[in-house]
Amino acid sequence: MKRTSHISPWAWVPTLYFAQGIPYFIVNNISVLMFTKMGVPNGEMALFTSLLYLPWTIKPFWSPFVDIIKTKRWWTVTMQLIMAAAFILLTVFIPHPDVATIASGETPISLFTVTLMLFILTAFASATHDIAADGFYMLALTPGDQAAFVGIRSTFYRLASIFGQGVLVAIAGAIELKYNDIPLSWTVTMLVAATLFSAVSFYHLFFMPRPEADRPVTDHSANGDSVAEHQKAENSVTSNPTKAGAGSILRAFARTFATYFTKPGVWIAIVFMLLYRLPEAFLLKLCMPFLVASREVGGLELSTAEVGIVYGTIGVICLTVGGILGGLFASRVGLKRALWWMAAAMTLPCLTFVYLAVCQPDNLVLISASIAIEQFGYGFGFTAYMLYMMYFSEGEFKTSHYAICTAFMALSMMIPGMFAGYIQEATGYVGFFWLVMACCLATVIVTIFVDRRIEAGYGKK
């Protein structure tokens, strides 16, 4: 097929990064609320939905094969089609427990076996899509266009977050309110997601460019892009450039990990990446269940639609604003001077959930303000985390080392989330959110150790 690279970035960058966000938020956020509303106990809900983070944790292990096999465009479109099929199947296989089972709060997670398998499939496809889409972005755009569109891609990823956590949740809440049927509400919601995602995937079949640079790494070797290197390495008519290309990628892959784990201060860096967000890792997994739980068990008893507005829309907007202002602040004073302000923003606003659990206010404006404060603080404080990963990744294999850092980032959310539900069931919501505050000590300790190793002026314009 003829390769085309003249398609305007405006025709595909916004939709590509909107499509990148939707499956992530459905798998990691919508699943939490759906299982909670279906009556699955918090312990099992948190354990199994946290395991869905696993593909994003281990994706560096198969990322070289996205380079070796097929094109980035092929991987991107294929993963989108797989996810679209999974969403369609979800609308068929979402179980329909009866009202009494849901009300009991003891719906067995085994009832959702097929649903979980489809979420797992979506998670692996989404993680692979992330690798391919980011690679395609760099191949299809000039460096100047990459810089020009970085804000656009970030904006549309955030819009996907609002759509996934806000609009879809509001749709589920509206249907639940009208028909008083929770399983139906999530079936229709997934149908909406499946329809939209299928349309975007079909659109990309025709409106994503086919740049000349988008070839498998082995094709570059076979087509002369690195012929001189191969001739130096193997000056033989029997040499196989395809195998040599694949072998060189795998050797570089092994060296990437070897050099990462021998970097100075690597273990302190890993501990920082695992523990800096510990309070938020616990809080995030139980936030939506707390908002919809009955007041008798310590929750705020918000409707599904209210959660979509308060947390999925207002919360996400404040999270985004916090991240933007955090970036501006860090660029003005540098990471080292910003670090403690951001650590404070990461920890202190968690007190808002202690307040909500203790006082159980019924004023929606007050609840919205509390969540807005916490999400703004998290967005502001998370900037330091991202900057530190960039700082630690400096040097040889910068891109690959950053990818490994993002694996630890996913792991930092997965492990605490696996146990968060069981802890909440044992302590209640008030005790759980006080425990979250106690975890802030971990953030403080790792910040002390990392602060000593950051060069003054890093990140400052």
Side-chain angles (χ1 to χ4, degrees), residues 92-114:
V92 177
F93 289 103
I94 288 178
H96 288 66
D98 57 57
V99 175
T101 302
I102 294 174
S104 71
E106 297 295 333
T107 305
I109 193 68
S110 58
L111 195 64
F112 295 87
T113 300
V114 177

Side-chain angles (χ1 to χ4, degrees), residues 326-342:
L328 293 174
F329 179 65
S331 69
R332 181 176 293 272
V333 303
L335 174 58
K336 190 173 183 68
R337 289 183 60 189
L339 183 60
W340 279 106
W341 291 100
M342 292 182 173

Side-chain angles (χ1 to χ4, degrees), residues 61-81:
F61 289 103
W62 71 81
S63 59
F65 298 101
V66 178
D67 282 325
I68 295 171
I69 303 170
K70 298 288 187 179
T71 65
K72 304 295 187 300
R73 187 186 190 279
W74 183 89
W75 281 103
T76 300
V77 173
T78 301
M79 292 304 106
Q80 286 180 9
L81 294 174

